[in-house]
Amino acid sequence: PSVVSITNLSVQEVQYFFFGGTTVQEYESSGSGVIIGQNDTELLIATNNHVVEGCKTLTVTFHDGISIEAYIKGTDADIDVAVIAVPLSEITHETLDVIRIATIGNSEQLQVGEPTIAIGNALGYGQSVTSGYVSALNKKVSSENADSTFIQTDAAINPGNSGGALLNMNGELIGINSAKIASDEVEGMGFAIPISKAQPILDELMSKETRDKVEDENKAA
């Protein structure tokens, strides 16, 4: 009940090489998020920066299937995290009754071989669950989305799982799923941002002024 699906409707400029012109097309992508807090007016959700990047419209779908428009609270491209906000006034009492704020764990206490559970919006088909183990800790990974150290897990992390929850066996949030290395030669290499590393940044992002787009970052208070 703490995990949500996120749909990002963005606008991209497409160039026609043969005719020398450009056109604007809408592009829809899917990701996941984790409910991590609430203030007087908003429900606050952690996800990846690359899940919300370039958004025109963000839509959050909760555990009960209800979808509501969300807004950017804050982003950090360096660690690939973001916080988005859903107005509490738009959420019915019925939905509030079935969703939960995630219980935060301690990723610094993880050990290699410990069981893990990944939950997210795989392939945009809705919430799904995979399981595995902690394969490695403090794994250095460089990708187009981030250059940092991660929890490596062999729990299947598929497109759409980005921004979703990596949990321990107590149901505590220990990481935010972020990346996967995929090729014919590689299997079972998923990566999550350690929650103990992300938490101070998420706390800061939750205090920012809500806005419509990632590009409005410099306008935030």
Side-chain angles (χ1 to χ4, degrees):
S2 302
V3 179
V4 304
S5 301
I6 299 173
T7 301
N8 177 349
L9 182 64
S10 59
V11 175
Q12 298 181 356
E13 188 175 86
V14 179
Q15 184 174 5
Y16 291 105
F17 293 100
F18 293 107
F19 301 102
T22 60
T23 186
V24 173
Q25 293 185 352
E26 290 187 340
Y27 177 75
E28 187 175 282
S29 59
S30 300
S32 306
V34 186
I35 302 169
I36 58 167
Q38 179 178 320
N39 59 29
D40 291 341
T41 60
E42 300 165 318
L43 193 70
L44 303 173
I45 298 166
T47 185
N48 289 141
N49 176 70
H50 76 263
V51 168
V52 302
E53 192 171 23
C55 69
K56 177 184 177 183
T57 303
L58 285 176
T59 304
V60 166
T61 302
F62 293 103
H63 182 57
D64 60 353
I66 299 299
S67 298
I68 302 174
E69 187 171 356
Y71 303 91
I72 300 294
K73 194 72 174 173
T75 63
D76 189 314
D78 291 336
I79 193 175
D80 193 27
V81 296
V83 173
I84 62 176
V86 177
L88 288 174
S89 60
E90 300 296 320
I91 308 174
T92 65
H93 292 295
E94 289 79 9
T95 295
L96 286 172
D97 284 342
V98 299
I99 61 178
R100 297 288 183 271
I101 295 173
T103 301
I104 305 299
N106 186 346
S107 58
E108 293 182 351
Q109 295 180 347
L110 288 176
Q111 298 182 16
V112 173
E114 187 172 336
T116 58
I117 298 171
I119 305 179
N121 179 27
L123 299 178
Y125 291 160
Q127 192 176 106
S128 62
V129 180
T130 55
S131 64
Y133 299 91
V134 174
S135 303
L137 299 169
N138 301 314
K139 195 75 168 184
K140 178 71 173 178
V141 176
S142 297
S143 71
E144 60 181 324
N145 298 320
D147 184 4
S148 187
T149 55
F150 294 83
I151 302 166
Q152 181 183 331
T153 179
D154 66 341
I157 296 176
N158 297 296
N161 273 120
S162 292
L166 188 70
L167 307 171
N168 61 21
M169 298 309 290
N170 294 321
E172 297 169 334
L173 183 67
I174 54 172
I176 299 173
N177 298 323
S178 180
K180 178 183 181 180
I181 296 176
S183 74
D184 292 339
E185 296 81 18
V186 175
E187 185 174 340
M189 292 187 71
F191 298 93
I193 303 163
I195 194 61
S196 298
K197 179 179 180 180
Q199 187 67 55
I201 298 171
L202 294 172
D203 288 342
E204 179 183 353
L205 298 181
M206 285 193 290
S207 69
K208 288 183 174 290
E209 179 182 334
T210 305
R211 57 201 190 283
D212 291 337
K213 300 178 181 178
V214 174
E215 288 77 11
D216 295 339
E217 182 81 46
N218 293 332
K219 300 179 183 178

